[in-house]
Amino acid sequence: MNKMTLAYIAGFLDGDGSIFFQIVKTKSLQKPFSIRGSIQFSQKRENAKILELLYQYFGVGYIRHRKTGVSDYTVVEFKELERLLLLLGPHLVLKKQHAELGLEILQRLKTQRTYEDFLGICRLVDKFGQLNYSKKRTITTKAVNSFYQNNIVPL
């Protein structure tokens, strides 16, 4: 892939994009929590053509047009998140730490075997919340640990 194009896309991600990782509750009794990650580019609906170009360029993810007049191009699959973070990471400025931490989370998810491993990943996700100045985040490492201590759940 052309370095100039990747640098341009990284600049777009720095300005009008976001990288998220969060702990989410699942419906599974065997695995009541999981990690969700995404890269998202946002634009006014009338400028959504750039999002369509990104979708064509990367060949993954989806475009959503919100009622608010904003459109998003979002990638959520871990394998593709890793690929995009590796491609764009060297060109990022404002979100360089986000990309590095995201890659660490994705690597750890590949080797996670135990509850302690999962808690370690949750701690990294908590750091992500601090990078993004998240105020609404309710499921943290502390909440996960408390849930496991108060419920009989297979580990």
Side-chain angles (χ1 to χ4, degrees):
M1 292 189 183
N2 178 323
K3 281 187 179 187
M4 183 155 331
T5 302
L6 291 173
Y8 173 83
I9 296 170
F12 184 21
L13 180 59
D14 265 339
D16 285 332
S18 50
I19 303 169
F20 287 106
F21 281 86
Q22 60 191 134
I23 306 164
V24 294
K25 188 98 172 80
T26 70
K27 294 179 182 178
S28 167
L29 293 177
Q30 290 186 331
K31 191 177 177 192
F33 297 95
S34 67
I35 304 299
R36 180 185 299 155
S38 67
I39 293 176
Q40 182 173 304
F41 297 83
S42 300
Q43 210 45 220
K44 284 184 178 180
R45 190 174 191 143
E46 56 264 21
N47 298 329
K49 180 128 180 98
I50 185 69
L51 303 177
E52 293 166 15
L53 291 171
L54 290 175
Y55 176 76
Q56 290 173 6
Y57 189 74
F58 292 119
V60 296
Y62 60 91
I63 295 174
R64 174 179 68 146
H65 303 288
R66 294 189 257 162
K67 292 178 184 177
T68 61
V70 174
S71 295
D72 302 306
Y73 168 57
T74 306
V75 176
V76 296
E77 186 183 333
F78 284 166
K79 181 178 139 187
E80 299 303 336
L81 280 176
E82 182 177 35
R83 180 173 72 99
L84 267 61
L85 290 174
L86 288 169
L87 283 170
L88 300 175
H91 305 284
L92 290 169
V93 176
L94 301 175
K95 293 186 172 79
K96 186 173 255 337
Q97 278 186 288
H98 296 75
E100 291 169 352
L101 186 55
L103 286 168
E104 185 175 353
I105 290 167
L106 291 168
Q107 287 303 312
R108 292 236 195 139
L109 283 167
K110 289 179 186 178
T111 60
Q112 172 205 335
R113 300 286 179 261
T114 67
Y115 167 70
E116 298 304 326
D117 292 342
F118 185 69
L119 277 184
I121 295 166
C122 289
R123 285 186 201 95
L124 292 176
V125 172
D126 287 348
K127 286 183 184 180
F128 222 95
Q130 293 166 354
L131 282 177
N132 284 340
Y133 310 109
S134 177
K135 294 176 185 156
K136 296 181 183 179
R137 191 177 294 254
T138 58
I139 304 177
T140 63
T141 304
K142 184 177 178 180
V144 171
N145 199 28
S146 175
F147 178 87
Y148 276 102
Q149 288 177 352
N150 295 318
N151 293 280
I152 299 172
V153 178
L155 300 178

Coordinates of all heavy atoms in Angstrom, one line a residue, residues 73-116:
Y73 N -17.7 4.9 9.1 CA -17.1 3.7 8.5 C -16.4 3.0 9.7 O -15.6 3.6 10.4 CB -16.1 4.0 7.5 CG -15.2 2.8 7.0 CD1 -15.8 1.7 6.6 CD2 -13.8 2.9 7.1 CE1 -15.0 0.6 6.2 CE2 -13.0 1.8 6.8 CZ -13.6 0.6 6.3 OH -12.9 -0.4 6.0
T74 N -16.8 1.8 10.0 CA -16.4 1.1 11.2 C -15.8 -0.3 10.9 O -16.4 -1.0 10.1 CB -17.6 0.9 12.2 OG1 -18.2 2.2 12.4 CG2 -17.1 0.3 13.5
V75 N -14.7 -0.6 11.5 CA -14.1 -2.0 11.4 C -14.1 -2.5 12.8 O -13.6 -1.9 13.8 CB -12.7 -1.9 10.8 CG1 -12.0 -3.2 10.8 CG2 -12.8 -1.3 9.4
V76 N -14.6 -3.8 13.0 CA -14.6 -4.4 14.3 C -14.0 -5.7 14.4 O -13.6 -6.1 15.6 CB -16.1 -4.5 14.8 CG1 -16.8 -3.2 15.0 CG2 -16.9 -5.4 13.9
E77 N -13.8 -6.4 13.4 CA -13.2 -7.8 13.4 C -11.7 -7.7 13.9 O -10.9 -6.9 13.3 CB -13.2 -8.4 12.1 CG -12.8 -9.9 12.1 CD -12.7 -10.5 10.7 OE1 -13.5 -10.1 9.8 OE2 -11.9 -11.4 10.5
F78 N -11.3 -8.4 14.9 CA -10.0 -8.3 15.5 C -8.9 -8.4 14.5 O -7.9 -7.7 14.6 CB -9.8 -9.3 16.7 CG -10.6 -9.0 17.9 CD1 -10.7 -9.9 18.9 CD2 -11.1 -7.7 18.2 CE1 -11.4 -9.6 20.1 CE2 -11.7 -7.4 19.3 CZ -11.9 -8.3 20.3
K79 N -9.0 -9.4 13.6 CA -7.9 -9.6 12.7 C -7.7 -8.4 11.8 O -6.6 -7.9 11.5 CB -8.3 -10.8 11.8 CG -7.2 -11.2 10.8 CD -7.7 -12.4 10.0 CE -7.4 -12.3 8.6 NZ -7.9 -13.4 7.7
E80 N -8.8 -7.8 11.4 CA -8.8 -6.6 10.6 C -8.4 -5.3 11.3 O -7.7 -4.5 10.8 CB -10.1 -6.3 9.9 CG -10.5 -7.5 8.9 CD -9.5 -7.8 7.8 OE1 -8.7 -6.9 7.5 OE2 -9.5 -8.9 7.3
L81 N -8.8 -5.2 12.6 CA -8.4 -4.2 13.5 C -6.8 -4.2 13.6 O -6.2 -3.1 13.5 CB -8.9 -4.3 14.9 CG -10.4 -3.8 15.1 CD1 -10.8 -4.2 16.5 CD2 -10.5 -2.4 14.8
E82 N -6.3 -5.3 13.8 CA -4.9 -5.5 13.9 C -4.2 -5.0 12.6 O -3.2 -4.3 12.6 CB -4.5 -6.9 14.2 CG -3.0 -7.1 14.4 CD -2.7 -8.6 14.8 OE1 -3.3 -9.5 14.4 OE2 -1.7 -8.7 15.6
R83 N -4.7 -5.5 11.5 CA -4.1 -5.1 10.2 C -4.1 -3.6 10.0 O -3.1 -3.0 9.6 CB -4.9 -5.8 9.1 CG -4.4 -5.5 7.7 CD -5.1 -6.3 6.6 NE -6.4 -5.9 6.4 CZ -6.8 -5.1 5.3 NH1 -6.0 -4.7 4.5 NH2 -8.1 -4.8 5.2
L84 N -5.3 -3.0 10.3 CA -5.3 -1.5 10.1 C -4.4 -0.8 11.1 O -3.8 0.2 10.7 CB -6.8 -1.0 10.3 CG -7.6 -0.9 9.0 CD1 -7.7 -2.3 8.3 CD2 -8.9 -0.3 9.2
L85 N -4.4 -1.2 12.3 CA -3.5 -0.6 13.3 C -2.0 -0.7 12.9 O -1.2 0.2 13.1 CB -3.7 -1.1 14.7 CG -5.1 -0.8 15.4 CD1 -5.2 -1.5 16.7 CD2 -5.2 0.7 15.6
L86 N -1.7 -1.9 12.4 CA -0.3 -2.0 11.9 C 0.0 -1.2 10.7 O 1.1 -0.6 10.6 CB 0.0 -3.5 11.6 CG 0.1 -4.4 12.8 CD1 0.1 -5.9 12.4 CD2 1.3 -4.1 13.6
L87 N -0.9 -1.0 9.8 CA -0.7 -0.2 8.6 C -0.7 1.3 9.0 O 0.1 2.0 8.5 CB -1.9 -0.4 7.6 CG -1.8 -1.7 6.8 CD1 -3.2 -1.9 6.0 CD2 -0.7 -1.7 5.8
L88 N -1.6 1.7 9.8 CA -1.8 3.2 10.1 C -0.9 3.7 11.3 O -0.6 4.8 11.3 CB -3.2 3.5 10.3 CG -4.2 3.2 9.2 CD1 -5.7 3.4 9.6 CD2 -3.9 3.9 7.9
G89 N -0.7 2.8 12.2 CA 0.1 3.1 13.4 C 1.3 4.0 13.2 O 1.5 5.0 13.9
P90 N 2.2 3.6 12.3 CA 3.4 4.3 12.1 C 3.2 5.8 11.7 O 4.1 6.6 11.8 CB 4.2 3.6 11.0 CG 3.6 2.2 11.1 CD 2.2 2.3 11.5
H91 N 2.0 6.1 11.1 CA 1.7 7.4 10.6 C 0.9 8.2 11.5 O 0.6 9.4 11.3 CB 1.0 7.3 9.2 CG 1.8 6.4 8.3 ND1 2.9 6.9 7.6 CD2 1.6 5.1 7.9 CE1 3.3 5.9 6.8 NE2 2.6 4.9 6.9
L92 N 0.4 7.6 12.6 CA -0.5 8.3 13.5 C 0.4 9.3 14.4 O 1.5 9.0 14.7 CB -1.2 7.4 14.4 CG -2.3 6.5 13.8 CD1 -2.8 5.4 14.7 CD2 -3.5 7.4 13.3
V93 N -0.3 10.4 14.8 CA 0.4 11.3 15.7 C -0.5 11.4 17.0 O 0.0 11.0 18.1 CB 0.5 12.7 15.1 CG1 1.0 13.7 16.1 CG2 1.3 12.7 13.8
L94 N -1.7 11.9 16.9 CA -2.6 12.0 18.1 C -3.0 10.7 18.7 O -3.2 10.6 19.9 CB -3.8 12.9 17.7 CG -3.5 14.3 17.2 CD1 -4.8 15.0 16.8 CD2 -2.8 15.1 18.3
K95 N -3.2 9.7 17.9 CA -3.7 8.4 18.3 C -2.7 7.3 18.3 O -3.0 6.1 18.3 CB -5.0 8.0 17.5 CG -6.1 9.0 17.8 CD -7.4 8.6 17.2 CE -8.6 9.5 17.7 NZ -8.7 10.7 17.0
K96 N -1.4 7.7 18.3 CA -0.3 6.7 18.3 C -0.4 5.8 19.5 O -0.3 4.5 19.4 CB 1.0 7.3 18.2 CG 2.2 6.3 18.0 CD 3.5 7.0 17.8 CE 4.0 7.0 16.4 NZ 3.6 6.0 15.4
Q97 N -0.6 6.4 20.7 CA -0.7 5.6 21.9 C -1.9 4.6 21.9 O -1.9 3.5 22.3 CB -0.9 6.5 23.2 CG 0.4 7.0 23.7 CD 0.1 7.8 25.0 OE1 -0.5 8.8 25.0 NE2 0.4 7.2 26.1
H98 N -3.0 5.1 21.3 CA -4.2 4.3 21.1 C -3.9 3.0 20.3 O -4.3 1.9 20.6 CB -5.3 5.0 20.4 CG -5.8 6.2 21.2 ND1 -5.1 7.4 21.3 CD2 -7.0 6.4 21.8 CE1 -5.8 8.3 22.0 NE2 -7.0 7.7 22.3
A99 N -3.2 3.3 19.2 CA -2.8 2.1 18.3 C -1.9 1.2 19.0 O -2.1 -0.1 18.9 CB -2.2 2.7 17.0
E100 N -0.9 1.6 19.7 CA 0.0 0.8 20.4 C -0.7 -0.1 21.5 O -0.5 -1.3 21.6 CB 1.2 1.6 21.0 CG 2.1 2.2 19.9 CD 3.1 3.2 20.4 OE1 3.0 3.6 21.6 OE2 3.9 3.6 19.6
L101 N -1.5 0.6 22.2 CA -2.3 -0.1 23.3 C -3.3 -1.1 22.7 O -3.4 -2.2 23.2 CB -3.0 0.9 24.2 CG -3.7 0.4 25.4 CD1 -2.7 -0.5 26.3 CD2 -4.3 1.5 26.2
G102 N -3.9 -0.7 21.6 CA -4.8 -1.6 20.9 C -4.1 -2.8 20.4 O -4.7 -3.9 20.5
L103 N -3.0 -2.7 19.8 CA -2.2 -3.8 19.4 C -1.8 -4.7 20.5 O -1.8 -6.0 20.4 CB -1.0 -3.4 18.6 CG -1.2 -2.8 17.2 CD1 0.0 -2.1 16.6 CD2 -1.7 -3.9 16.3
E104 N -1.5 -4.2 21.7 CA -1.1 -5.0 22.8 C -2.3 -5.8 23.3 O -2.2 -7.0 23.6 CB -0.6 -4.1 24.0 CG -0.1 -4.9 25.1 CD 0.6 -4.1 26.2 OE1 0.8 -2.9 26.1 OE2 0.8 -4.7 27.3
I105 N -3.5 -5.1 23.3 CA -4.7 -5.8 23.7 C -5.0 -7.0 22.8 O -5.3 -8.1 23.2 CB -5.9 -4.8 23.8 CG1 -5.7 -3.9 24.9 CG2 -7.2 -5.6 23.9 CD1 -6.7 -2.7 24.9
L106 N -4.9 -6.7 21.5 CA -5.2 -7.8 20.5 C -4.2 -8.9 20.6 O -4.6 -10.1 20.5 CB -5.1 -7.2 19.1 CG -6.3 -6.2 18.8 CD1 -6.0 -5.4 17.5 CD2 -7.6 -6.9 18.7
Q107 N -2.9 -8.6 20.9 CA -2.0 -9.7 21.0 C -2.3 -10.5 22.3 O -2.2 -11.8 22.3 CB -0.5 -9.1 21.2 CG 0.0 -8.6 19.9 CD 0.0 -9.7 18.8 OE1 0.5 -10.8 19.0 NE2 -0.5 -9.3 17.6
R108 N -2.6 -9.9 23.4 CA -2.9 -10.6 24.6 C -4.2 -11.4 24.5 O -4.3 -12.5 25.1 CB -3.1 -9.6 25.8 CG -1.8 -9.0 26.2 CD -1.6 -9.2 27.6 NE -0.5 -8.3 28.1 CZ -0.6 -7.7 29.3 NH1 -1.6 -7.8 30.1 NH2 0.4 -7.0 29.7
L109 N -5.2 -10.9 23.7 CA -6.4 -11.7 23.5 C -6.1 -13.0 22.8 O -6.8 -14.1 23.0 CB -7.4 -10.9 22.7 CG -8.2 -9.8 23.4 CD1 -8.9 -8.9 22.5 CD2 -9.1 -10.5 24.4
K110 N -5.1 -13.1 21.9 CA -4.7 -14.3 21.2 C -4.2 -15.4 22.1 O -4.3 -16.5 21.8 CB -3.7 -14.0 20.1 CG -4.1 -13.2 19.0 CD -3.0 -12.9 18.0 CE -3.3 -12.0 16.9 NZ -2.2 -11.7 16.0
T111 N -3.6 -14.9 23.2 CA -2.9 -15.9 24.1 C -3.6 -16.1 25.4 O -3.2 -16.8 26.3 CB -1.5 -15.5 24.4 OG1 -1.4 -14.2 25.0 CG2 -0.7 -15.5 23.1
Q112 N -4.8 -15.4 25.6 CA -5.5 -15.5 26.9 C -6.0 -16.9 27.1 O -6.6 -17.5 26.3 CB -6.7 -14.5 26.8 CG -7.6 -14.7 28.0 CD -9.1 -14.2 27.6 OE1 -9.3 -13.5 26.8 NE2 -10.0 -14.8 28.3
R113 N -5.7 -17.4 28.3 CA -6.1 -18.7 28.7 C -6.8 -18.7 30.0 O -7.7 -19.5 30.2 CB -4.8 -19.6 28.9 CG -4.0 -19.8 27.6 CD -4.7 -20.7 26.6 NE -3.9 -20.8 25.4 CZ -4.1 -20.1 24.3 NH1 -5.1 -19.2 24.2 NH2 -3.4 -20.3 23.2
T114 N -6.5 -17.8 30.9 CA -7.0 -17.9 32.3 C -7.8 -16.6 32.6 O -7.7 -15.6 31.9 CB -5.9 -18.1 33.3 OG1 -5.1 -16.8 33.3 CG2 -5.0 -19.3 33.0
Y115 N -8.5 -16.7 33.7 CA -9.2 -15.6 34.3 C -8.2 -14.4 34.6 O -8.5 -13.3 34.3 CB -9.9 -16.0 35.6 CG -10.4 -14.9 36.4 CD1 -11.5 -14.1 35.9 CD2 -9.9 -14.6 37.6 CE1 -12.0 -13.0 36.7 CE2 -10.4 -13.5 38.4 CZ -11.4 -12.8 37.9 OH -11.9 -11.7 38.6
E116 N -7.0 -14.8 35.1 CA -6.0 -13.7 35.4 C -5.5 -13.1 34.1 O -5.3 -11.8 34.1 CB -4.8 -14.4 36.1 CG -5.2 -15.0 37.5 CD -5.8 -14.0 38.5 OE1 -5.5 -12.8 38.4 OE2 -6.7 -14.5 39.2

